[in-house]
Structure formats: C-alpha cells, structure tokens
Amino acid sequence: MKLTQFLSAALTLAALQTNAQITDPKATEVWEPEPRIVTPGDDNRAPSDAIILFDGKNTTEWVSSKDSKAAAPWTVNSDGSITVKPGAGDIQTARSFGDCQLHIEFRAPEVVKGEGQGRGNSGVFLQERYEVQVLDCYGNRTYSNGQTGSIYKQSIPLVNACRKPGAWQTYDILYTAPRFNNDGIQVSQGRVTVLHNGIVIQLNTEIKGTSEYIGLPKVSAHGKAPIRLQDHGDLVSYRNIWIREL
Ligand code: MG
C-alpha cells in the first residue's frame, strides 16, 4: 500500500470512529454564518439585493459598446421596454461583472421578418465574450448550436422553449466566470445554467471560450467585464433586467 493510500484509509477509519461517537443530533447543526435575508420580488421583479440594470425608463446603467462614454443608443418605449436600434451597435452595462445571476426579458418582433439566423436575432454576452443566443426559433429552424438559448456555436440548448413572436420571454442565467492564474492561464472554465421561460435549457454548461461566428472559441485571460446586448439588425426588445453578483 502506498503512503497516500494508507493515509486515506487511516483518515476514513478515523472519520468512522468519530461519527460513531456522535449521538447528539445537535452536534452536527451549523448555525454560523447565517445567510442574510433577501426579499424576493413579485412577478420576476428584482429581489431586494439586485442591481436593477433596466427598470423600464432609466438607461443610466447602459452605454454604447462602440464608445463606453456615450449613452446607450437604443430606443426606450412607453411600455417600459428598450428596443435595438439597427445599425446603432451593441449596448453594454457601464459596470463590470463576474459570477452572477442575471434576469432578462426579451421579445422578438410580432411581425415576422426573415428566417433562420435573420429572425429576431440578438444576444446576451456574458463578460462581453460569451453569447447566450437570443433568436426567434418558434417554428424557425436554424443550426442547433445557434438556436435560441444556445451558447452560440458551442452548446445546443436541451429543448426549444420559445414562445410565439411578439410574446415576452425570460432568461434566468446563472454564471460562473472562468478563472485565470497570474500567468494568464485558464485554471477553470466558465460555466452557465440558463432557464428559458422557466425551463432549464443549459445546465452547468462549460464555456469553451469566446463566441465566434467564424472559427473556434478563443481563450484569453480577463477580469470582470460588462454584460453586452447585441444589435444584429432585428427589432428585438428587452425589459426588466436585473443582476445579482454572486
Ligand atoms: Mg445573436
């Protein structure tokens, strides 16, 4: 038996002996630390500890991706949504984020125009790099690793949970950022879980690298970075966007 095997066996035996000596159920109760209280929101609204990224009116949390000093160039509507302004470019959060829980609602145009990737295309980029695809895939076939809720060209969603064009839909995204050491080497991959309209479509999916239209994902070190929303030329709208840092 190798030393490491011996030590492992000895530790297991010690744990069993210790466990056998525990007779009081209170001995295994852990009281500290106590999780802090968060008040949940109603109807998908932000819980008490969330950063509200878009409340229906205010776009101060957003900037243009072309020029981070310029205001978000998209159209704010009277119904509390914000719509892509085709050609104006992507928008992104003024703040940077790492691990997070993100809630975002989106709507493809009710009047269907185009097909495949040309129908209700936008995207939620985590840390500016990793795209959770936004697309209208209700009765609209495209490549599976590019459909609604794919990690674009990396991971096919488990199911197609799309609502009809014109209907509001939700993404709840749980994201663990990749880790890099001081030499810039990735020591753990990013991971993402996505619920589309409350249905799990990505479960702890490993992120391979950046979302690339052509070619393979790239890996390079980065720190916290903004959430980016894509202008793909379609009139996709967003509303009720909030984030909790984890
Ligand atoms: Mg897209």
Side-chain angles (χ1 to χ4, degrees):
M1 189 184 276
K2 284 183 189 164
L3 180 62
T4 49
Q5 286 174 314
F6 173 77
L7 286 172
S8 163
L11 282 170
T12 306
L13 191 63
L16 281 171
Q17 282 173 339
T18 310
N19 199 34
Q21 287 159 6
I22 298 172
T23 53
D24 181 358
K26 288 190 182 307
T28 44
E29 292 177 0
V30 178
W31 285 69
E32 299 293 337
E34 182 187 5
R36 64 193 158 80
I37 293 167
V38 171
T39 308
D42 296 325
D43 302 324
N44 287 325
R45 305 310 294 188
S48 58
D49 66 344
I51 295 169
I52 295 170
L53 292 176
F54 181 62
D55 63 0
K57 289 190 188 113
N58 198 327
T59 58
T60 52
E61 290 285 346
W62 297 88
V63 295
S64 162
S65 292
K66 288 178 181 169
D67 173 6
S68 64
K69 290 195 172 57
W74 292 8
T75 311
V76 177
N77 309 297
S78 56
D79 68 353
S81 63
I82 184 167
T83 303
V84 173
K85 188 182 264 183
D90 298 353
I91 64 170
Q92 65 186 46
T93 54
R95 301 191 216 197
S96 290
F97 300 98
D99 299 351
C100 65
Q101 172 184 357
L102 174 68
H103 175 87
I104 188 161
E105 302 183 14
F106 63 95
R107 182 181 63 191
E110 191 168 1
V111 179
V112 170
K113 215 176 78 186
E115 57 180 351
Q117 292 287 313
R119 185 163 140 184
N121 195 333
S122 182
V124 179
F125 283 78
L126 301 162
Q127 296 198 300
E128 293 179 286
R129 295 161 170 83
Y130 313 118
E131 184 183 13
V132 180
Q133 173 70 306
V134 170
L135 196 68
D136 174 14
C137 282
Y138 187 91
N140 177 37
R141 186 82 177 103
T142 184
Y143 43 93
S144 300
N145 66 352
Q147 73 178 67
T148 318
S150 62
I151 307 308
Y152 186 69
K153 286 195 170 169
Q154 294 186 29
S155 177
I156 297 170
L158 294 169
V159 294
N160 179 341
C162 286
R163 292 201 168 112
K164 286 181 181 173
W168 280 104
Q169 311 194 56
T170 59
Y171 274 161
D172 288 283
I173 299 173
L174 310 179
Y175 176 62
T176 306
R179 267 40 175 190
F180 302 89
N181 69 13
N182 289 336
D183 296 326
I185 294 166
Q186 185 173 258
V187 292
S188 68
Q189 285 183 283
R191 289 185 171 271
V192 67
T193 292
V194 181
L195 282 80
H196 180 196
N197 298 324
I199 298 166
V200 175
I201 56 165
Q202 299 285 347
L203 180 60
N204 205 24
T205 301
E206 279 186 356
I207 292 172
K208 298 184 175 102
T210 54
S211 295
E212 300 291 337
Y213 178 48
I214 299 169
L216 299 172
K218 297 185 179 78
V219 175
S220 61
H222 62 84
K224 287 186 174 184
I227 307 284
R228 185 153 63 90
L229 301 180
Q230 185 183 43
D231 165 15
H232 201 281
D234 295 330
L235 295 169
V236 174
S237 300
Y238 291 93
R239 72 175 185 190
N240 190 24
I241 310 172
W242 50 262
I243 193 166
R244 297 181 62 244
E245 295 183 286
L246 300 175

